[in-house]
Amino acid sequence: MKVIVCAKQVPDTNEIKINPETGSLIRDGVPSILNPDDANALEEALKLKDMYPDTHITVVSMGPPQAQDMLFECLAMGADEAILLSDRAVGGSDTYATSNAISAVIDKYKKEFGDFDIIFGGRQAIDGDTAQVGPQIAEKQHLPQVTYVVDFKLSDDKKTVTVKRQLEDGYEEIEVKTPCMLTCTKELNQPRYMSMKGIFNKDKKITVWSAADCEVDLSVVGLKASPTNVYRSFTPRPKGKGVMVAGDTEAEIAANLIASFKEKHII
Amino acid sequence: MSTNLADYKNIWVFAEQRQGKIMGVALELIGEACKLAKDISDETEVCAVLVGDGIEDLAKECFEYGADKVYLLQHPLLKNFTTDAYAKVMTEAMEVYKPEIVLYGATHIGRDLAPRIAARSHTGLTADCTHLDVSVAKYIEFAKANTTLDTSTLDPESKDTGLKMTRPAFGGNLMATIVSPRTRPQMATVRPGVMSKREREAGRTGEVIKVDVKLSEADVRTKILNIVKEAKEMVSLTDADIICSGGRGLGGPEGFKLIQEFADKVGGVVGSSRACVDNGWIDHAHQVGQTGTTVKPKIYFACGISGAIQHLAGMQDSDIIVAINKDPDAPIFEVADYGIVGDLYKVIPQIMEAWDK
């Protein structure tokens, strides 16, 4: 089987601080990591490879040259190869333009390696939290999609996938034929660590492609081709000391608290 | 992108229904759309789009909550949500009727469907919005009240009525307002619970438009085998919307029985200060703070917690902090949005009672 995993290098948003004077993000010293949901996507591909050793896993990403660090980690976890689209022409892309660029990479992949069976992606990336790029790649590739995957099974003939798709109050069981695009959640599996063998394996390679290398249509990528633009950005106002809830009895205090919650749509 | 923007009119709300029940967020979005429509023009209509099978009856609810029009997209293949079928009929209806704005709830269905439609329609989509404006003057008002944004570069007299979609980014560290100036429709998914429904107006009605739906089985490439409802699983502290935490003020391990009841009542999970864990009153898995878990729930109830620095470090970014403590000088009150000085054993049962009222 041929499997593609879409991965993104993201800043660890737990470590980000804001400069209160300028309201800008302080990125210095913030570690860059493999997006957590993408690690689950890769793990599910690796589990397939455990079961069917002839499975070939290609990790695809877009980003600056440093994103190779993240791809190296993917290879050390067990992926077979990685492709990074890195080009200023795709910088500033919103989700629409990003999916155009990644779809071009996948088209190029098909030309070089033939058809794939499954694309695994993370449900969403922790820097943007949009969950849009996965479905938009599926649309550009004319693939059926299942998002929020929490359980995955492949039929013996490897042609049909049965997944559980998480809902707010339960799940759906869905059957879909390959090729298809699946976006993975952290409930799906526990990503493995890099292996020593993986870390020291020098045979696996990361290929860096420019926009020209993968024949990206430059009119559909980058800042200018992005239908959404940032109008303004800002930090939420830091909160000051709050109020003491008034009331003569505990019941009155409780009623006033809940009334204030409702007025402010907290509940 | 040579879209003639003036051809696009009205606000659509994807009135998500599941098993014949309208989702609350759809009604919230109808309420929000009513406000936005007024700020665009007197002619702008609020349209609910109902997609499903045998769901005509839901139109009434849409009208009573503020919709002017209801578009009905019905077909046996639309009975349950599938990405393929819903994306096809929505996109085709949008091409015919050309809405200026389309809003979706940021549910597991809305967040699956909307990006697919946006890609097919070559338009922009902003995810998980928590605030919407069309009027620049109102956006300035919002920014002044809630943010640190310098609004001096914005013109309150501006005639721009493009949709300004505000959302958190970078794990909530930053807010961004996004626009889609060159393409239509302008689309957003909106978090459930942040917009307000209008008061229900019994008997309010409007025009129902039955949309011609073209679908065949070959259009739908996923097959739903089963839809399973589950009681909510025990969620972890980091994912919880509400956390009820107990501290030394509980007086003993039995105090966590009340905290657990409190958490069950408000749909939250139980947290704890380090003192209680060190005393063996509760498992370490519940500990919030620097040496425990860092949490950012919507509501954090600190019950009998004095507010040691190590605890504050793990919870002070919560949206709303409620502190209940006997000692009016406890440091927890310095970070609390709501402070209650009193006996937690008397206060908490009253909050639980008031919760449902």
Side-chain angles (χ1 to χ4, degrees):
Chain A
M1 287 191 92
K2 289 217 245 345
V3 175
I4 295 176
V5 175
C6 298
K8 184 181 186 184
Q9 188 185 46
V10 293
D12 187 344
T13 51
N14 291 323
E15 302 292 329
I16 288 181
K17 301 274 182 297
I18 300 285
N19 178 337
E21 304 281 303
T22 61
S24 57
L25 294 175
I26 304 170
R27 285 174 182 254
D28 290 346
V30 176
S32 290
I33 57 171
L34 166 62
N35 179 55
D37 285 352
D38 301 349
N40 296 105
L42 175 56
E43 174 61 30
E44 206 57 28
L46 292 169
K47 278 165 67 184
L48 268 184
K49 195 178 169 71
D50 293 341
M51 209 183 316
Y52 306 108
D54 63 335
T55 302
H56 187 85
I57 302 172
T58 306
V59 182
V60 166
S61 188
M62 177 172 122
Q66 337 33 316
Q68 288 175 82
D69 297 344
M70 173 275 292
L71 291 173
F72 176 79
E73 188 182 332
C74 294
L75 295 181
M77 282 169 72
D80 294 290
E81 62 170 336
I83 300 170
L84 176 68
L85 168 57
S86 193
D87 198 310
R88 285 191 183 279
V90 297
S93 291
D94 71 355
T95 66
Y96 174 87
T98 298
S99 66
N100 283 333
I102 299 198
S103 190
V105 174
I106 294 170
D107 285 339
K108 177 74 175 176
Y109 167 101
K110 286 195 280 192
K111 271 189 198 165
E112 300 227 333
F113 311 106
D115 288 338
F116 57 86
D117 298 284
I118 300 174
I119 304 179
F120 287 107
R123 175 197 52 155
Q124 63 191 42
I126 58 171
D127 53 349
D129 288 321
T130 73
Q132 289 176 186
V133 174
Q136 295 192 320
I137 291 171
E139 172 64 20
K140 304 286 158 60
Q141 287 290 320
H142 310 289
L143 294 172
Q145 75 188 43
V146 182
T147 54
Y148 291 94
V149 171
V150 290
D151 189 65
F152 169 88
K153 278 191 193 71
L154 183 68
S155 65
D156 292 339
D157 68 359
K158 303 182 196 173
K159 300 279 184 221
T160 307
V161 164
T162 309
V163 294
K164 283 184 185 167
R165 171 176 137 78
Q166 184 186 62
L167 291 172
E168 289 85 345
D169 56 353
Y171 62 88
E172 298 171 314
E173 230 173 323
I174 295 175
E175 191 180 275
V176 58
K177 293 253 184 298
T178 60
C180 58
M181 166 104 207
L182 306 173
T183 77
C184 304
T185 64
K186 69 174 188 311
E187 289 83 3
L188 179 60
N189 55 43
Q190 182 66 43
R192 66 194 65 187
Y193 294 106
M194 293 182 272
S195 71
M196 276 299 162
K197 206 175 118 211
I199 291 169
F200 291 104
N201 187 337
K202 301 289 178 209
D203 299 336
K204 295 179 182 178
K205 63 170 191 199
I206 299 172
T207 308
V208 181
W209 278 344
S210 68
D213 289 333
C214 48
E215 297 157 42
V216 173
D217 175 357
L218 291 177
S219 72
V220 298
V221 295
L223 187 63
K224 279 189 179 156
S226 295
T228 63
N229 301 152
V230 177
Y231 180 68
R232 293 289 188 282
S233 68
F234 49 85
T235 48
R237 189 183 289 284
K239 67 177 170 200
K241 201 180 165 186
V243 295
M244 299 309 278
V245 184
D248 290 333
T249 63
E250 281 85 8
E252 218 177 290
I253 290 171
N256 286 339
L257 175 72
I258 301 300
S260 177
F261 275 5
K262 287 188 174 153
E263 191 192 312
K264 295 183 176 160
H265 302 295
I266 296 164
I267 56 171
Chain B
M1 292 188 200
S2 56
T3 311
N4 185 2
L5 303 190
D7 291 346
Y8 292 77
K9 294 190 169 65
N10 299 332
I11 304 179
W12 279 20
V13 171
F14 171 66
E16 183 184 333
Q17 58 85 23
R18 296 187 193 177
Q19 285 84 49
K21 273 211 179 109
I22 284 201
M23 300 291 281
V25 65
L27 303 175
E28 293 162 17
L29 290 180
I30 291 172
E32 178 67 13
C34 291
K35 290 187 205 159
L36 297 173
K38 242 188 274 169
D39 290 339
I40 296 174
S41 72
D42 292 340
E43 295 80 46
T44 303
E45 291 178 308
V46 174
C47 310
V49 186
L50 277 167
V51 185
D53 189 37
I55 47 155
E56 304 89 344
D57 293 351
L58 300 180
K60 183 171 179 281
E61 211 174 332
C62 297
F63 291 132
E64 294 189 342
Y65 278 101
D68 301 307
K69 270 184 189 164
V70 167
Y71 290 96
L72 259 183
L73 283 64
Q74 298 202 97
H75 191 284
L77 289 170
L78 295 171
K79 187 170 187 345
N80 290 312
F81 170 77
T82 59
T83 315
D84 282 339
Y86 275 50
K88 180 172 191 287
V89 300
M90 280 291 290
T91 309
E92 288 172 0
M94 282 161 49
E95 278 165 12
V96 174
Y97 296 100
K98 300 192 184 331
E100 182 175 0
I101 292 172
V102 184
L103 305 177
Y104 306 78
T107 63
H108 288 204
I109 284 178
R111 296 177 100 231
D112 180 282
L113 173 66
R116 192 92 198 199
I117 295 174
R120 198 171 300 177
S121 308
H122 304 288
T123 195
L125 173 68
T126 306
D128 289 351
C129 299
T130 53
H131 185 86
L132 300 173
D133 282 299
V134 288
S135 141
V136 176
K138 287 197 177 165
Y139 179 74
I140 293 172
E141 224 173 273
F142 155 75
K144 280 187 174 161
N146 300 292
T147 76
T148 53
L149 178 66
D150 171 18
T151 54
S152 64
T153 57
L154 290 162
D155 172 15
E157 307 288 323
S158 167
K159 296 275 180 283
D160 159 35
T161 58
L163 186 62
K164 294 146 196 81
M165 301 165 271
T166 301
R167 70 182 304 269
F170 286 99
N173 291 299
L174 191 70
M175 302 292 286
T177 303
I178 309 292
V179 290
S180 292
R182 296 177 304 277
T183 56
R184 290 294 180 272
Q186 306 164 88
M187 306 218 300
T189 64
V190 177
R191 282 207 186 154
V194 299
M195 303 301 180
S196 314
K197 285 178 208 170
R198 290 214 318 192
E199 187 123 355
R200 187 167 189 162
E201 207 179 307
R204 191 179 179 281
T205 183
E207 186 189 353
V208 176
I209 296 146
K210 291 191 174 161
V211 179
D212 189 24
V213 170
K214 291 180 203 74
L215 261 185
S216 70
E217 282 190 15
D219 293 324
V220 188
R221 294 167 291 177
T222 53
K223 188 168 147 199
I224 300 174
L225 306 174
N226 215 348
I227 300 175
V228 181
K229 302 249 177 211
E230 281 180 326
K232 216 172 179 185
E233 288 173 49
M234 165 89 184
V235 276
S236 69
L237 284 168
T238 44
D239 295 327
D241 282 340
I242 299 181
I243 294 174
C244 303
S245 260
R248 215 194 308 254
L250 291 177
E254 60 286 348
F256 276 103
K257 226 182 107 204
L258 175 66
I259 300 297
Q260 182 67 58
E261 284 168 19
F262 186 24
D264 290 345
K265 180 84 205 172
V266 301
V269 298
V270 173
S272 160
S273 71
R274 190 171 79 183
C276 300
V277 175
D278 288 350
N279 286 344
W281 296 355
I282 192 163
D283 189 81
H284 177 260
H286 293 271
Q287 186 181 324
V288 172
Q290 211 159 25
T291 50
T293 308
T294 301
V295 299
K296 276 187 207 172
K298 293 200 178 89
I299 310 178
Y300 188 88
F301 288 99
C303 313
I305 292 176
S306 62
I309 301 236
Q310 96 89 24
H311 189 77
L312 299 184
M315 48 62 82
Q316 59 193 357
D317 289 337
S318 306
D319 291 350
I320 297 289
I321 297 168
V322 182
I324 306 165
N325 207 294
K326 271 184 184 164
D327 174 10
D329 297 323
I332 190 77
F333 289 120
E334 295 297 320
V335 301
D337 299 272
Y338 295 95
I340 297 172
V341 179
D343 179 354
L344 67 94
Y345 286 100
K346 289 183 181 150
V347 175
I348 291 173
Q350 293 296 338
I351 295 176
M352 288 165 65
E353 206 177 312
W355 191 262
D356 287 334
K357 279 189 184 155

